[in-house]
Amino acid sequence: MATGKRQRIVVVGHGMVGHRFAQAAVERGLTETHDVLVIGEEPRAAYDRVALTSWFGAGSDALSLLPGGEYDDPRVRLVLDSVVTEVDRAARTVTVVSPPSAAEDLLANPGAVTVHEYDVLVLATGAAPFVPPVEGRGKDGCFVYRTIEDLEAIQAASATATSGVVIGGGLLGLEAANALVQLGLQTHVVEMAPRLMPVQLDDAAGVTLVRHVERLGVTVHTGVVTEEIVGGSSVSGLRMRQAGTEEGAPTGVVDAQVVVFSAGIRPRDALARECDLPVAPRGGVLVDEQCRTADPHVFAIGECAAPGGTMYGLVAPGYAMAEVVVDALLDGPGTFTGADMSTKLKLLGVDVASFGDAFATTDGALELTYADAVTGVYKKLVVSEDGTRLLGGILVGDASAYGILRPMVSSGLALPANPEQLILPVGSGAGVQIGMPDEAQVCSCNDVTKADILHAVSEQGCETVADVKQCTRAGSTCGSCVATVKNIIEDHFASVGKVVDKGLCEHFRLTRQELFDVVAVHGYRRFDDIVAAHGTGRGCDVCKPAIASILASQTSTHILEPATAELQDTNDKYLGNIQRNGTYSVVPRIPGGEITPDKLIVIGEVARDYGLYTKITGGQRIDLFGARMEQLPAIWRRLVDAGFESGHAYGKSLRTVKSCVGSTWCRFGVQDSVGLAIALELRYRGLRSPHKLKGGVSGCARECAEARGKDFGVIATEKGWNLYVGGNGGATPAHARLLAGDLDTATLVSYLDRFLMYYVRTADRLQRTSTWIEQLEGGLDRVREVVVDDSLGLGAELEAEMARHVGGYEDEWRATLEDPTKLERFVTFVNAPDTPDPSIAFTTERDQIQPIAPALIPVGAPA
Amino acid sequence: MSTVAVSLTPVCAVEAVPLEGGVAALVDGSAVAVFRTFDGSLFALSNVDPFSGASVLSRGIVGSRGDAPVVSSPMYKQAFDLRTGACLDDAAVRVASYGVTVVDGVVHVGSARPAGEVA
Ligand SMILES: Cc1cc2nc3c(=O)[nH]c(=O)nc-3n(C[C@H](O)[C@H](O)[C@H](O)COP(=O)(O)OP(=O)(O)OC[C@H]3O[C@@H](n4cnc5c(N)ncnc54)[C@H](O)[C@@H]3O)c2cc1C
Ligand code: SF4
């Protein structure tokens, strides 16, 4: 677009699509030339509305699409809790009202009104639930289902309610019903059409779905209209009559203290209407194929837009529109020409999918159906008259075929000779292998094709679903394509003859997890037994430390016992971190970063007496560098005598639990973060794990301890603690995500015990918690099921294992100092114990020692 | 090389070299790593890791790669064939290997062997 002066883009609405627009603007370089101002009405940054119902279990943080609340690119500015009230197209300005935070403050602060100029305006205002004009709809206890605030209100009202009604039996209505069931209400669904999900399902599928839904205790009323919502100022029930009967016909009443309207959505196109931009007859800002409105400076995307007169109530078309506008602003050729309205979801635990021409409206289309009333499975394929092409279909109860079927529709792939095989249950001789064409779209939310995935695998080095997710975004929104993505990756590797060998190394074909189980089951204690039974050769620097770590996790015996000493990595072998010149670092544990002046003095004295280089670490402790191997015992003797213990800085084990000063000193603190951090660090110290582990505890939401940058992070709330998992810094930083909120300390500890042990048991070697969670099927939800809901019934076992670890802990350095045989290894030369290694030398820099690089010997020549 | 050792330096008792582990010794002013594999065989290489210059090979993990007994450097993990000193991850690199014999239960290290001669 224009050159020279920076252009200003104003985006109205920070929902899913507005966020995608901002993200794409950053990623595709639009912000090199444009400043982006995003104005959002909701009090929080964009979140995953598609997964709204999971808010009840996971909380707001887990849904956030922008956890930090701001973009990394400073040229994108986000203003929340503010409404655009007017667009002046002639002046190219928008008026923004930022309301006061609470009603009582209204007089003091009536809200700020600001006016912003734009060169480009992007409307991304989404849609609003449609509330039909039923009498009584304004009573207390009536809700809609669109935002986190709606859910908070529903949750609050449900605390005193016993039953609830959802008006509308479509996709969103069933989501809402699911929520009411979860909240413990006797739940009814009222639908005017003769079946549930009338837009996606045919009668037979609707009947099948009703059976599933009723099995969960939901009462379904189809073919009825709501006459009135009854009650005083609050709802007490809902009166309805048969659809198609006259007014005055007999009615029935269901009791309800909560009513949720879910009778469709309407595009939020008011801003456009008020500034005289054309809208579609059924609502939605009219836009062309580039999503441009009648005004070339104004675009509309997402649910508020109606490209070619049609609005799309799904997120994928909205994402596509966002990309198209970014492309247009970069002078690209992208267009939006309609979208695949296929849906696959799990409603109340039931798989439901509908795709393509589900109602066989194409001339001459044929239907093939398979139904099993006992298991509640209904599948229908719509095929072309000549039987060669798949046009669409419906799946209820088992939607596993969706991954292959839907791409067949969009790509026009020829059907196999007996297409019914595609929907017959596996085991009935079916299970035809269908090659999916490269151009088939696999992830409809993010428009990722099979070719994109293959490219990521063959050209970009992706090997796992998690890699592909990162590279292509496939599977990162609704997740329904993850299984297909996995198959594509596996098929690809199989086809190129590459075995994605998850085995540890040439000596073991087993993964770390398999090895962990084998060791546990057989009770092995020695490498020799394990390699004899399950491996080949004599091991290497990969499998030996991995087995040492597994044995340490399972037995709590000292790592330098004869059976395991030679399996340890060098760092573990000498209980110190080896440095570039062969010396070691010494890091005593300082739990939670709290230390007395006396102990601080001891560290200083030891460092001074041994001439060690001293540096404060990021984990709130002190590193002493430059200790020769033979000096380690003497140095540690002094530290242990002064009450220090090993800090395990050398191990793949718990490093530190960092803390802020918390409520004991900080005027904002709401809990004693230091106390908890110390308790946690002492509980998990010495725990050998697949990779190093770090923790953090902050005393309030200001998060001064940066706990969410840790494998486990705890943040104090007024009511207790929020537990976050899967964070790390380093080359690929990850923000920890909420596992559970408002926990008391005992529950927090039990969840942490389970989480850490589950990780220790099942992660791959050198896999941090973040990648481990990513690659688990089900991701964080899976972790939550196992840890919080105890779905595998493993909770007690994991806690018992942790209790064994805690009970069996001993300070590795103290135990080493007490055992002369363990001390024997700490000599540089067996035949000259008093001679220091002549290759180690230091200079002085900024008043401390620094290693001099040992002279490299000429390669290939004997010394 | 003749089988008659020119000079043999006594280093330590055999048992002082851990099974599938190593120790370092000073031999004529040079640091030499002595290893003992699972079957009791003894090997000696220069202790200096050619990739870092640090005198640390005796602290590496002893195991196997294919048929070769190896030690992997504790610094950057390259594997060295205990029989020849050849680096198995970089054909251009080799560390000196030494003859080693046991006399009356005591490990003796001989002089450095020329490249190519196998123990
Ligand atoms: C419970 C539920 C389940 C769903 N399930 C699915 C599903 O399975 N699959 C699927 O594809 N889709 C699903 N959807 C639909 C999906 O969430 C929407 O398609 C998507 O959120 C649309 O994104 P959007 O940005 O257009 O609108 P929104 O996400 O609604 O964002 C619009 C934002 O603009 C703000 N706004 C509006 N007017 C103004 C103004 N004047 N000033 C400032 N801000 C303003 C709004 O407050 C809102 O935050 C579901 C929706 C719900 C509610
Ligand atoms: S996180 Fe809260 S309690 Fe802790 S130091 Fe920061 S402001 Fe204080």
Side-chain angles (χ1 to χ4, degrees):
Chain A
M1 256 201 139
T3 51
K5 193 165 161 284
R6 293 183 64 77
Q7 301 276 301
R8 292 154 303 181
I9 303 175
V10 171
V11 180
V12 189
H14 195 240
M16 299 188 76
V17 174
H19 168 65
R20 170 53 73 87
F21 175 84
Q23 228 182 0
V26 173
E27 282 171 14
R28 297 178 58 185
L30 186 60
T31 50
E32 297 301 320
T33 49
H34 290 65
D35 291 320
V36 182
L37 170 65
V38 188
I39 296 153
E41 167 193 63
E42 296 188 62
R44 54 175 63 78
Y47 51 89
D48 187 356
R49 212 178 294 289
V50 171
L52 189 63
T53 304
S54 68
W55 174 85
F56 289 105
S60 310
D61 287 346
L63 289 185
S64 183
L65 297 176
L66 189 64
E70 51 186 76
Y71 290 90
D72 287 341
D73 187 332
R75 295 162 298 196
V76 181
R77 203 155 63 85
L78 177 59
V79 177
L80 293 172
D81 218 351
S82 299
V83 184
V84 173
T85 53
E86 198 188 329
V87 175
D88 183 337
R89 291 202 285 124
R92 285 202 219 136
T93 59
V94 293
T95 306
V96 178
V97 175
S98 305
S101 47
E104 332 43 292
D105 299 337
L106 203 62
L107 279 180
N109 169 18
V113 178
T114 48
V115 174
H116 300 266
E117 297 181 350
Y118 65 79
D119 300 298
V120 174
L121 180 67
V122 179
L123 299 173
T125 49
F130 169 65
V131 178
V134 185
E135 208 168 310
R137 64 185 165 150
K139 292 184 193 305
D140 287 348
C142 289
F143 303 97
V144 293
Y145 200 81
R146 176 87 191 174
T147 64
I148 290 181
E149 283 66 33
D150 293 334
L151 269 56
E152 285 172 346
I154 292 171
Q155 187 177 43
S158 299
T160 55
T162 53
S163 55
V165 181
V166 176
I167 299 182
L171 198 153
L172 294 185
L174 293 177
E175 279 276 337
N178 187 13
L180 296 191
V181 171
Q182 285 180 34
L183 289 168
L185 301 192
Q186 187 60 51
T187 304
H188 299 261
V189 173
V190 177
E191 168 57 51
M192 196 157 48
R195 59 176 184 270
L196 290 179
M197 294 183 66
V199 183
Q200 290 90 5
L201 301 187
D202 60 14
D203 282 337
V207 168
T208 310
L209 181 58
V210 167
R211 266 204 300 270
H212 278 288
V213 170
E214 291 196 326
R215 221 176 279 160
L216 297 166
V218 176
T219 315
V220 179
H221 312 262
T222 50
V224 300
V225 289
T226 306
E227 278 250 312
E228 183 192 359
I229 291 166
V230 295
S233 64
S234 306
V235 176
S236 66
L238 178 131
R239 202 148 52 77
M240 52 195 186
R241 69 179 150 79
Q242 283 295 307
T245 56
E246 293 299 312
E247 238 164 275
T251 57
V253 175
V254 286
D255 281 345
Q257 301 78 45
V258 169
V259 171
V260 179
F261 284 99
S262 185
I265 55 170
R266 295 288 178 269
R268 293 183 68 176
D269 54 13
L271 281 175
R273 286 175 195 268
E274 283 158 16
C275 65
D276 296 324
L277 282 172
V279 295
R282 297 173 62 192
V285 188
L286 259 185
V287 293
D288 64 13
E289 291 191 343
Q290 284 196 310
C291 296
R292 213 182 280 264
T293 66
D295 179 337
H297 294 278
V298 184
F299 295 81
I301 55 178
E303 287 186 340
C304 69
T310 310
M311 76 84 74
Y312 297 84
L314 292 175
V315 72
Y319 281 176
M321 292 182 224
E323 299 281 352
V324 162
V325 174
V326 170
D327 201 56
L329 294 174
L330 290 167
D331 291 329
T335 54
F336 179 88
T337 53
D340 178 9
M341 296 302 283
S342 303
T343 348
K344 173 186 174 223
L345 59 166
K346 221 182 182 72
L347 282 171
L348 296 145
V350 189
D351 274 343
V352 179
S354 163
F355 54 97
D357 181 12
F359 292 99
T361 55
T362 310
D363 271 350
L366 304 169
E367 296 189 359
L368 297 170
T369 56
Y370 165 83
D372 179 346
V374 179
T375 55
V377 172
Y378 171 84
K379 300 181 186 177
K380 177 174 91 171
L381 293 185
V382 177
V383 301
S384 62
E385 192 169 11
D386 59 4
T388 59
R389 288 186 48 232
L390 183 63
L391 300 174
I394 294 175
L395 307 166
V396 176
D398 169 15
S400 51
Y402 179 76
I404 6 176
L405 295 178
R406 192 188 51 79
M408 287 180 71
V409 175
S410 44
S411 64
L413 187 76
L415 277 173
N418 36 359
E420 66 280 3
Q421 297 289 349
L422 293 170
I423 50 172
L424 288 178
V426 230
S428 62
V432 229
Q433 273 300 318
I434 295 299
M436 191 190 291
D438 283 2
E439 61 280 9
Q441 189 193 47
V442 175
C443 171
S444 55
C445 293
N446 296 289
D447 187 20
V448 183
T449 61
K450 180 180 171 193
D452 296 334
I453 294 169
L454 289 176
H455 180 79
V457 175
S458 58
E459 308 296 324
Q460 292 167 279
C462 296
E463 288 199 341
T464 62
V465 173
D467 296 345
V468 170
K469 245 189 210 181
Q470 270 237 324
C471 251
T472 65
R473 288 214 184 99
S476 61
T477 306
C478 79
S480 67
C481 64
V482 169
T484 315
V485 173
K486 191 164 178 228
N487 289 337
I488 293 175
I489 300 171
E490 284 171 359
D491 288 353
H492 171 77
F493 284 134
S495 75
V496 300
K498 170 171 169 190
V499 189
V500 190
D501 196 350
K502 303 286 273 183
L504 269 184
C505 61
E506 70 170 74
H507 307 104
F508 288 95
R509 303 301 307 271
L510 305 176
T511 63
R512 179 186 172 279
Q513 177 182 355
E514 289 162 343
L515 215 62
F516 192 100
D517 294 342
V518 161
V519 171
V521 169
H522 295 270
Y524 293 127
R525 293 292 174 264
R526 284 157 26 95
F527 176 81
D528 287 2
D529 300 334
I530 302 171
V531 80
H534 304 279
T536 55
R538 291 307 307 170
C540 63
D541 60 312
V542 170
C543 58
K544 282 187 165 174
I547 286 174
S549 162
I550 290 171
L551 289 171
S553 303
Q554 294 187 9
T555 64
S556 302
T557 46
H558 196 288
I559 60 172
L560 295 185
E561 286 303 325
T564 53
E566 296 307 325
L567 305 177
Q568 310 292 342
D569 244 329
T570 324
N571 288 346
D572 275 319
K573 224 183 238 181
Y574 295 94
L575 307 176
N577 275 8
I578 194 165
Q579 305 298 326
R580 60 184 315 132
N581 63 345
T583 61
Y584 289 83
S585 69
V586 170
V587 188
R589 184 170 299 292
I590 302 179
E594 184 186 86
I595 185 164
T596 63
D598 282 341
K599 281 185 143 182
L600 207 47
I601 288 168
V602 170
I603 291 182
E605 286 173 346
V606 169
R608 185 196 55 209
D609 294 352
Y610 287 89
L612 304 176
Y613 170 84
T614 313
K615 190 172 189 308
I616 312 273
T617 74
Q620 301 186 329
R621 48 192 190 174
I622 298 170
D623 261 356
L624 311 176
F625 290 88
R628 297 164 186 278
M629 190 239 275
E630 67 272 13
Q631 292 178 315
L632 289 171
I635 291 173
W636 274 103
R637 175 101 53 202
R638 282 188 50 187
L639 292 170
V640 167
D641 285 348
F644 285 104
E645 62 176 6
S646 167
H648 296 102
Y650 45 82
K652 300 279 178 263
S653 56
L654 180 79
R655 295 289 167 83
T656 65
V657 180
K658 184 175 173 178
S659 70
C660 75
V661 75
S663 61
T664 42
W665 289 93
C666 176
R667 66 205 155 97
F668 300 114
V670 293
Q671 307 280 353
D672 175 13
S673 48
V674 181
L676 182 71
I678 293 173
L680 294 179
E681 184 161 340
L682 295 182
R683 184 170 182 80
Y684 302 125
R685 63 187 164 181
L687 177 68
R688 287 297 194 286
S689 48
H691 207 309
K692 63 186 173 191
L693 271 173
K694 297 182 179 181
V697 184
S698 278
C700 80
R702 287 171 184 77
E703 242 285 69
C704 296
E706 296 166 339
R708 290 187 68 189
K710 309 293 179 200
D711 295 281
F712 61 92
V714 181
I715 300 179
T717 68
E718 296 285 349
K719 292 181 231 152
W721 309 101
N722 282 351
L723 172 58
Y724 299 82
V725 293
N728 57 250
T732 321
H735 225 61
R737 290 183 291 157
L738 187 72
L739 183 69
D742 288 333
L743 305 171
D744 58 49
T745 307
T747 312
L748 173 85
V749 169
S750 74
Y751 285 179
L752 259 177
D753 282 1
R754 295 175 184 187
F755 171 77
L756 292 174
M757 266 303 167
Y758 186 40
Y759 166 65
V760 167
R761 268 197 190 185
T762 62
D764 270 338
R765 174 183 163 268
L766 296 187
Q767 194 172 41
R768 286 296 289 262
T769 51
S770 59
T771 34
W772 168 67
I773 294 172
E774 265 287 290
Q775 61 74 48
L776 271 183
E777 204 135 341
L780 184 63
D781 288 338
R782 179 65 184 157
V783 176
R784 193 175 291 115
E785 281 167 25
V786 173
V787 169
V788 178
D789 309 334
D790 197 9
S791 64
L792 295 180
L794 273 180
E797 193 179 319
L798 296 171
E799 285 178 43
E801 274 171 28
M802 189 60 84
R804 192 194 41 66
H805 164 77
V806 174
Y809 170 83
E810 62 171 355
D811 171 21
E812 275 164 12
W813 261 112
R814 174 185 291 277
T816 302
L817 294 172
E818 286 166 359
D819 181 349
T821 58
K822 293 197 177 79
L823 285 175
E824 274 169 14
R825 67 172 54 248
F826 291 91
V827 290
T828 294
F829 298 119
V830 265
N831 59 346
D834 299 325
T835 311
D837 182 346
S839 73
I840 295 173
F842 301 99
T843 63
T844 305
E845 187 74 47
R846 292 184 298 279
D847 302 328
Q848 297 208 67
I849 59 160
Q850 244 177 42
I852 297 175
L856 294 189
I857 55 160
V859 148
Chain B
M1 268 283 138
S2 77
T3 47
V4 181
V6 182
S7 68
L8 277 182
T9 309
V11 163
C12 61
V14 173
E15 299 73 49
V17 187
L19 266 187
E20 297 209 296
V23 296
L26 261 188
V27 177
D28 293 337
S30 296
V32 173
V34 179
F35 301 98
R36 193 150 66 114
T37 52
F38 73 105
D39 57 1
S41 311
L42 287 159
F43 301 92
L45 302 180
S46 162
N47 195 41
V48 177
D49 167 32
F51 295 92
S52 64
S55 184
V56 293
L57 283 189
S58 64
R59 305 176 210 168
I61 288 181
V62 174
S64 64
R65 182 176 296 184
D67 295 332
V70 296
V71 61
S72 65
S73 165
M75 209 56 90
Y76 302 117
K77 311 290 175 198
Q78 292 88 353
F80 296 89
D81 190 327
L82 293 180
R83 300 167 302 187
T84 62
C87 175
L88 301 182
D89 295 301
D90 186 340
V93 177
R94 193 182 77 86
V95 298
S97 75
Y98 293 75
V100 53
T101 58
V102 178
V103 180
D104 288 341
V106 173
V107 178
H108 286 68
V109 173
S111 41
R113 266 197 298 259
E117 189 175 312
V118 172

